[in-house]
Amino acid sequence: THELDMYADQYLTDHQKSIPENDATFLREVFYGCARYKKLIDVVVERFLEHEKTALKSDSFLYAMYVYLALLRLDELTVPVFRAFVLAQAARAAPLLGFLYEPARIEADFAPQWAQQYEAQYVREQLVGALDRHRAEVAAILAAIGLRTQTRAAAVAAAATGGGAGRTAPAKTT
């Protein structure tokens, strides 16, 4: 943990002017949480990288952070705050969260792996329970991202064809 302390302190020192103290404390907690629960988080992140061929391995820590927040901190963090984090990196977060909250995958892949590391009751109540409790709320976030993506795609398509909403053709002059 000494190396973690040094890394976190260095990052926060380098960015101290732009990061309020409360946010710095939260970032430290997330960083330490990701390190502490690395094996648990890696079960999801490794499977996700195998499954999602467009996901970048270089984004592994970002994925780990989302898994940590979703599994272990979402009750405390609250869904509206989590939503803000997700929307900040929607293109990366949405596929991961869709993958993480898929019930069949939880039962077939994640829970058995987690049960090798933790007591069955903890896996069932705390980990799977957290996913079950927030599934509908996360689905709503993912639906909102999908709607935003569709709206943007429609706007780009309309602009490419010259027909945007609210645009009219210039009047013909003779």
Side-chain angles (χ1 to χ4, degrees), residues 61 85-86 89 128 130 158 168:
F61 189 77
F85 279 115
V86 171
Q89 292 286 329
V128 175
T168 58

Side-chain angles (χ1 to χ4, degrees), residues 8-173:
D9 288 342
Q10 183 62 50
Y11 179 85
L12 294 170
T13 299
D14 292 348
H15 296 87
Q16 69 185 1
K17 291 178 183 163
S18 63
I19 300 175
E21 186 57 36
N22 287 347
D23 291 349
T25 300
F26 175 74
L27 287 172
R28 241 187 216 100
E29 289 173 2
V30 170
F31 189 74
Y32 293 142
C34 288
R36 179 177 180 196
Y37 293 99
K38 184 178 181 349
K39 288 181 181 179
L40 176 133
I41 292 167
D42 281 351
V43 168
V44 177
V45 173
E46 289 172 6
R47 290 262 197 296
F48 176 69
L49 290 171
E50 291 169 6
H51 178 266
E52 188 67 34
K53 299 303 181 198
T54 60
L56 300 175
K57 188 171 180 143
S58 60
D59 288 335
S60 292
F61 189 77
L62 179 68
Y63 300 137
M65 181 201 68
Y66 281 116
V67 172
Y68 170 74
L69 294 174
L71 282 175
L72 300 163
R73 297 289 295 270
L74 190 50
D75 289 328
E76 173 190 352
L77 189 63
T78 75
V79 172
V81 173
F82 184 68
R83 177 186 170 96
F85 279 115
V86 171
L87 293 178
Q89 292 286 329
R92 293 179 181 136
L96 172 70
L97 294 176
F99 183 82
L100 174 61
Y101 280 87
E102 187 179 315
R105 190 169 311 282
I106 294 166
E107 292 302 318
D109 290 341
F110 306 148
Q113 290 291 317
W114 293 333
Q116 292 177 11
Q117 302 169 32
Y118 299 94
E119 292 182 21
Q121 182 177 355
Y122 177 78
V123 170
R124 188 175 51 258
E125 293 175 6
Q126 298 301 313
L127 303 177
V128 175
L131 295 172
D132 289 344
R133 270 192 314 280
H134 296 292
R135 181 173 288 113
E137 295 160 316
V138 171
I141 294 170
L142 296 176
I145 291 170
L147 184 59
R148 284 178 33 180
T149 303
Q150 290 173 354
T151 301
R152 283 190 197 131
V156 169
T161 61
R167 294 179 70 181
T168 58
K172 192 173 187 180
T173 56

